[in-house]
Short mmCIF file of all heavy atoms in Angstrom, two decimals:
data_model
loop_
_atom_site.label_atom_id
_atom_site.label_comp_id
_atom_site.label_asym_id
_atom_site.label_seq_id
_atom_site.Cartn_x
_atom_site.Cartn_y
_atom_site.Cartn_z
N THR A 10 -6.50 29.10 6.41
CA THR A 10 -6.68 30.26 7.32
C THR A 10 -6.36 31.62 6.67
O THR A 10 -6.75 32.64 7.26
CB THR A 10 -5.73 30.10 8.55
OG1 THR A 10 -4.41 29.88 8.08
CG2 THR A 10 -6.15 28.96 9.44
N LEU A 11 -5.70 31.53 5.54
CA LEU A 11 -5.50 32.83 4.74
C LEU A 11 -5.41 32.41 3.31
O LEU A 11 -4.91 31.30 2.98
CB LEU A 11 -4.36 33.68 5.23
CG LEU A 11 -2.98 33.51 4.60
CD1 LEU A 11 -2.04 34.64 5.12
CD2 LEU A 11 -2.37 32.17 4.92
N TRP A 12 -5.93 33.25 2.42
CA TRP A 12 -5.79 32.99 1.03
C TRP A 12 -5.90 34.28 0.16
O TRP A 12 -6.66 35.19 0.63
CB TRP A 12 -6.85 31.94 0.60
CG TRP A 12 -8.29 32.45 0.71
CD1 TRP A 12 -9.11 32.96 -0.23
CD2 TRP A 12 -9.10 32.41 1.92
NE1 TRP A 12 -10.36 33.29 0.29
CE2 TRP A 12 -10.38 32.99 1.64
CE3 TRP A 12 -8.86 31.95 3.19
CZ2 TRP A 12 -11.38 33.06 2.53
CZ3 TRP A 12 -9.86 32.11 4.18
CH2 TRP A 12 -11.10 32.67 3.85
N PRO A 13 -5.24 34.36 -0.93
CA PRO A 13 -5.39 35.56 -1.76
C PRO A 13 -6.73 35.64 -2.49
O PRO A 13 -7.21 34.56 -2.92
CB PRO A 13 -4.19 35.44 -2.76
CG PRO A 13 -3.83 34.03 -2.77
CD PRO A 13 -4.36 33.36 -1.47
N THR A 14 -7.36 36.80 -2.53
CA THR A 14 -8.62 36.91 -3.24
C THR A 14 -8.43 37.60 -4.58
O THR A 14 -9.24 37.50 -5.45
CB THR A 14 -9.68 37.61 -2.38
OG1 THR A 14 -9.03 38.86 -1.96
CG2 THR A 14 -10.10 36.83 -1.17
N ALA A 15 -7.30 38.29 -4.65
CA ALA A 15 -6.92 39.00 -5.96
C ALA A 15 -5.49 39.40 -5.73
O ALA A 15 -5.02 39.43 -4.61
CB ALA A 15 -7.80 40.22 -6.09
N GLY A 17 -2.95 41.49 -4.63
CA GLY A 17 -3.05 42.71 -3.80
C GLY A 17 -4.08 42.62 -2.72
O GLY A 17 -4.36 43.69 -2.12
N ALA A 18 -4.70 41.45 -2.49
CA ALA A 18 -5.70 41.30 -1.47
C ALA A 18 -5.60 39.90 -0.86
O ALA A 18 -5.53 38.92 -1.58
CB ALA A 18 -7.11 41.63 -2.00
N VAL A 19 -5.64 39.84 0.41
CA VAL A 19 -5.53 38.52 1.10
C VAL A 19 -6.67 38.54 2.13
O VAL A 19 -6.95 39.49 2.80
CB VAL A 19 -4.17 38.41 1.93
CG1 VAL A 19 -4.10 36.99 2.49
CG2 VAL A 19 -3.09 38.69 0.99
N ARG A 20 -7.34 37.36 2.26
CA ARG A 20 -8.40 37.29 3.22
C ARG A 20 -7.92 36.30 4.34
O ARG A 20 -7.32 35.31 4.05
CB ARG A 20 -9.67 36.70 2.59
CG ARG A 20 -10.90 36.69 3.52
CD ARG A 20 -12.16 36.61 2.71
NE ARG A 20 -12.35 37.85 1.93
CZ ARG A 20 -13.23 37.92 0.89
NH1 ARG A 20 -13.97 36.87 0.56
NH2 ARG A 20 -13.36 39.06 0.29
N VAL A 21 -8.19 36.66 5.63
CA VAL A 21 -7.85 35.78 6.75
C VAL A 21 -9.11 35.59 7.60
O VAL A 21 -10.02 36.41 7.59
CB VAL A 21 -6.73 36.35 7.62
CG1 VAL A 21 -5.48 36.56 6.85
CG2 VAL A 21 -7.15 37.73 8.21
N ILE A 22 -9.07 34.49 8.35
CA ILE A 22 -10.11 34.22 9.31
C ILE A 22 -9.79 35.10 10.52
O ILE A 22 -8.65 35.16 11.00
CB ILE A 22 -10.10 32.74 9.77
CG1 ILE A 22 -10.64 31.93 8.55
CG2 ILE A 22 -11.06 32.55 11.01
CD1 ILE A 22 -10.63 30.45 8.82
N ASP A 23 -10.73 35.89 11.06
CA ASP A 23 -10.49 36.76 12.16
C ASP A 23 -10.66 35.90 13.50
O ASP A 23 -11.77 35.66 13.95
CB ASP A 23 -11.52 37.92 12.18
CG ASP A 23 -11.35 38.83 13.37
OD1 ASP A 23 -10.44 38.55 14.26
OD2 ASP A 23 -12.03 39.88 13.46
N ARG A 26 -12.66 36.59 16.79
CA ARG A 26 -14.09 36.49 16.95
C ARG A 26 -14.55 35.03 17.22
O ARG A 26 -15.67 34.79 17.50
CB ARG A 26 -14.76 36.92 15.69
CG ARG A 26 -14.29 38.36 15.13
CD ARG A 26 -15.07 39.48 15.75
NE ARG A 26 -16.30 39.64 15.09
CZ ARG A 26 -16.52 40.34 13.96
NH1 ARG A 26 -15.46 40.96 13.41
NH2 ARG A 26 -17.68 40.46 13.46
N ALA A 32 -15.67 34.97 11.11
CA ALA A 32 -15.66 36.21 10.41
C ALA A 32 -14.34 36.29 9.64
O ALA A 32 -13.37 35.67 9.99
CB ALA A 32 -15.84 37.36 11.35
N PHE A 33 -14.25 37.12 8.64
CA PHE A 33 -13.08 37.26 7.80
C PHE A 33 -12.65 38.73 7.75
O PHE A 33 -13.45 39.65 7.96
CB PHE A 33 -13.41 36.75 6.35
CG PHE A 33 -13.95 35.35 6.41
CD1 PHE A 33 -15.32 35.14 6.26
CD2 PHE A 33 -13.14 34.28 6.42
CE1 PHE A 33 -15.92 33.89 6.34
CE2 PHE A 33 -13.64 32.99 6.46
CZ PHE A 33 -15.00 32.79 6.43
N VAL A 34 -11.35 38.90 7.52
CA VAL A 34 -10.81 40.27 7.38
C VAL A 34 -9.97 40.31 6.09
O VAL A 34 -9.28 39.34 5.82
CB VAL A 34 -9.84 40.61 8.51
CG1 VAL A 34 -9.42 42.12 8.48
CG2 VAL A 34 -10.45 40.36 9.87
N ASP A 35 -10.17 41.39 5.33
CA ASP A 35 -9.37 41.51 4.07
C ASP A 35 -8.12 42.38 4.42
O ASP A 35 -8.31 43.46 4.96
CB ASP A 35 -10.21 42.13 2.98
CG ASP A 35 -11.21 41.19 2.41
OD1 ASP A 35 -10.90 39.94 2.49
OD2 ASP A 35 -12.30 41.55 2.06
N LEU A 36 -6.99 41.89 4.02
CA LEU A 36 -5.75 42.62 4.24
C LEU A 36 -5.33 43.22 2.84
O LEU A 36 -5.15 42.42 1.83
CB LEU A 36 -4.61 41.74 4.73
CG LEU A 36 -5.03 40.84 5.95
CD1 LEU A 36 -3.84 39.98 6.36
CD2 LEU A 36 -5.48 41.66 7.12
N MET A 37 -5.23 44.55 2.76
CA MET A 37 -4.98 45.15 1.47
C MET A 37 -3.59 45.93 1.49
O MET A 37 -3.09 46.38 0.48
CB MET A 37 -6.05 46.16 1.09
CG MET A 37 -7.52 45.72 1.34
SD MET A 37 -8.02 44.51 0.15
CE MET A 37 -8.33 45.60 -1.23
N THR A 38 -3.12 46.20 2.71
CA THR A 38 -1.91 46.99 2.82
C THR A 38 -0.93 46.34 3.83
O THR A 38 -1.34 45.45 4.63
CB THR A 38 -2.21 48.42 3.35
OG1 THR A 38 -2.74 48.24 4.74
CG2 THR A 38 -3.24 49.15 2.52
N LEU A 39 0.23 46.87 3.84
CA LEU A 39 1.26 46.40 4.80
C LEU A 39 0.67 46.67 6.22
O LEU A 39 0.83 45.76 7.07
CB LEU A 39 2.56 47.24 4.64
CG LEU A 39 3.56 47.22 5.76
CD1 LEU A 39 4.11 45.81 5.96
CD2 LEU A 39 4.67 48.23 5.52
N GLU A 40 0.07 47.77 6.44
CA GLU A 40 -0.36 48.12 7.81
C GLU A 40 -1.50 47.17 8.19
O GLU A 40 -1.59 46.75 9.39
CB GLU A 40 -0.83 49.62 7.86
CG GLU A 40 0.26 50.61 7.75
CD GLU A 40 0.94 50.74 6.42
OE1 GLU A 40 0.24 50.36 5.42
OE2 GLU A 40 2.09 51.20 6.31
N ASP A 41 -2.36 46.78 7.23
CA ASP A 41 -3.44 45.76 7.60
C ASP A 41 -2.81 44.50 8.09
O ASP A 41 -3.25 43.90 9.07
CB ASP A 41 -4.18 45.42 6.29
CG ASP A 41 -5.14 46.59 5.89
OD1 ASP A 41 -5.35 47.53 6.64
OD2 ASP A 41 -5.61 46.47 4.74
N ALA A 42 -1.76 44.07 7.41
CA ALA A 42 -1.14 42.77 7.77
C ALA A 42 -0.44 42.97 9.15
O ALA A 42 -0.63 42.01 10.02
CB ALA A 42 -0.10 42.35 6.74
N ALA A 43 0.20 44.02 9.36
CA ALA A 43 0.92 44.22 10.68
C ALA A 43 -0.10 44.28 11.77
O ALA A 43 0.13 43.68 12.88
CB ALA A 43 1.72 45.47 10.65
N ARG A 44 -1.22 44.95 11.52
CA ARG A 44 -2.26 45.09 12.54
C ARG A 44 -2.94 43.73 12.87
O ARG A 44 -3.12 43.39 14.06
CB ARG A 44 -3.36 46.05 12.13
CG ARG A 44 -4.27 46.51 13.27
CD ARG A 44 -5.33 47.55 12.77
NE ARG A 44 -4.79 48.51 11.88
CZ ARG A 44 -5.07 48.59 10.51
NH1 ARG A 44 -5.86 47.72 10.03
NH2 ARG A 44 -4.59 49.54 9.75
N ALA A 45 -3.16 42.90 11.80
CA ALA A 45 -3.77 41.62 12.02
C ALA A 45 -2.89 40.75 12.94
O ALA A 45 -3.38 39.95 13.76
CB ALA A 45 -4.02 40.94 10.67
N GLN A 50 -5.60 38.83 15.28
CA GLN A 50 -6.65 38.31 14.43
C GLN A 50 -6.09 37.07 13.73
O GLN A 50 -6.81 36.16 13.44
CB GLN A 50 -6.99 39.38 13.41
CG GLN A 50 -7.79 40.54 14.00
CD GLN A 50 -8.14 41.58 13.00
OE1 GLN A 50 -7.22 42.05 12.28
NE2 GLN A 50 -9.35 41.98 12.89
N VAL A 51 -4.77 37.11 13.41
CA VAL A 51 -4.06 35.84 13.05
C VAL A 51 -3.04 35.61 14.12
O VAL A 51 -2.50 36.58 14.68
CB VAL A 51 -3.43 36.00 11.70
CG1 VAL A 51 -4.42 36.09 10.61
CG2 VAL A 51 -2.34 37.10 11.62
N THR A 60 1.42 35.30 7.07
CA THR A 60 0.75 36.57 6.99
C THR A 60 1.79 37.69 6.77
O THR A 60 1.59 38.65 5.93
CB THR A 60 -0.06 36.88 8.23
OG1 THR A 60 -0.90 35.75 8.52
CG2 THR A 60 -0.85 38.14 8.11
N LEU A 67 2.34 42.96 -0.06
CA LEU A 67 1.42 44.08 -0.07
C LEU A 67 2.17 45.41 0.00
O LEU A 67 1.84 46.40 -0.71
CB LEU A 67 0.42 43.98 1.04
CG LEU A 67 -0.63 42.86 0.93
CD1 LEU A 67 -1.43 42.78 2.24
CD2 LEU A 67 -1.57 43.11 -0.26
N TRP A 119 4.73 38.21 -4.26
CA TRP A 119 3.34 37.49 -4.15
C TRP A 119 3.48 36.01 -4.39
O TRP A 119 2.96 35.20 -3.70
CB TRP A 119 2.44 38.19 -5.24
CG TRP A 119 0.97 37.91 -4.92
CD1 TRP A 119 0.14 37.04 -5.55
CD2 TRP A 119 0.22 38.65 -3.93
NE1 TRP A 119 -1.12 37.11 -5.01
CE2 TRP A 119 -1.11 38.11 -4.00
CE3 TRP A 119 0.50 39.59 -2.99
CZ2 TRP A 119 -2.08 38.53 -3.20
CZ3 TRP A 119 -0.53 40.02 -2.14
CH2 TRP A 119 -1.81 39.49 -2.26
#
Side-chain angles (χ1 to χ4, degrees):
T10 52
L11 93 170
W12 63 97
T14 51
V19 186
R20 186 160 295 164
V21 297
I22 293 175
D23 182 353
R26 310 271 282 273
F33 305 96
V34 186
D35 288 328
L36 312 179
M37 317 286 282
T38 65
L39 164 66
E40 289 71 24
D41 288 345
R44 194 179 319 110
Q50 288 176 311
V51 296
T60 308
L67 291 170
W119 201 255

